[in-house]
Amino acid sequence: MKKLPQISEAELEVMKIVWAQAPVSTNEITDRLTQTTDWSPKTVQTLIKRLVTKGALTYEKQSRMFVYTPLVSEEEYIDRESSSFLNRFYNGNITAMLSSYIENDRLSAEEIGELRALLSQSTRKDKS
């Protein structure tokens, strides 16, 4: 497994846009984030530069514009963060985590149904 860079909460907002729209220009990222945050264009550019330095993004220059693509997939990032959370708070025990969520009413009946369906599908795959 490759080593993934640490991504701050603010940098994650940039990554969400890049994951959804790549390849995406600096202007497109900036336009989206200045609409949804109180960040200045300079702040957005700084976050983009940090992500390039960390190895989370790469870019190519197309005429006078920089276009970014991710070097870290959303799936890799979510997997790492989920594992980190699970290990940190539940000693890697997913059953303990789900029990906590269910007992404290953090999961709706619909979400519990979705989990049942996923577990049922997984069980069928294992029998195949």
Side-chain angles (χ1 to χ4, degrees):
M1 178 189 237
K2 72 179 183 184
K3 184 163 171 41
L4 301 177
Q6 289 294 322
I7 297 173
S8 72
E9 289 298 316
E11 293 165 346
L12 182 57
E13 293 306 310
V14 173
M15 290 300 295
K16 287 177 183 177
I17 293 168
V18 177
W19 284 324
Q21 299 182 341
V24 60
S25 71
T26 307
N27 290 344
E28 292 168 315
I29 297 169
T30 302
D31 289 346
R32 286 279 309 274
L33 287 172
T34 54
Q35 290 173 13
T36 59
T37 67
D38 60 356
W39 300 340
S40 72
K42 193 77 172 157
T43 299
V44 175
Q45 290 171 4
T46 298
L47 292 169
I48 293 169
K49 286 178 190 172
R50 284 184 191 163
L51 287 164
V52 169
T53 301
K54 290 179 175 187
L57 293 179
T58 189
Y59 66 91
E60 64 179 55
K61 192 170 182 180
Q62 294 179 356
S63 68
R64 293 176 34 189
M65 186 172 32
F66 289 94
V67 177
Y68 296 88
T69 55
L71 290 173
V72 173
S73 75
E74 186 173 16
E75 293 78 21
E76 288 174 310
Y77 178 77
I78 289 170
D79 184 51
R80 186 204 50 207
E81 292 301 306
S82 316
S83 295
S84 175
F85 174 82
L86 186 61
N87 287 327
R88 183 172 177 202
F89 294 102
Y90 297 96
N91 295 319
N93 186 336
I94 195 161
T95 303
M97 182 188 79
L98 288 173
S99 295
S100 172
Y101 273 69
I102 292 167
E103 290 168 10
N104 293 303
D105 294 325
R106 292 189 204 137
L107 295 176
S108 68
E110 182 182 335
E111 290 168 325
I112 292 170
E114 290 173 11
L115 285 171
R116 281 192 178 115
L118 285 170
L119 290 170
S120 178
Q121 287 174 356
S122 177
T123 303
R124 279 186 245 132
K125 286 180 187 174
D126 289 345
K127 289 181 181 178
S128 299

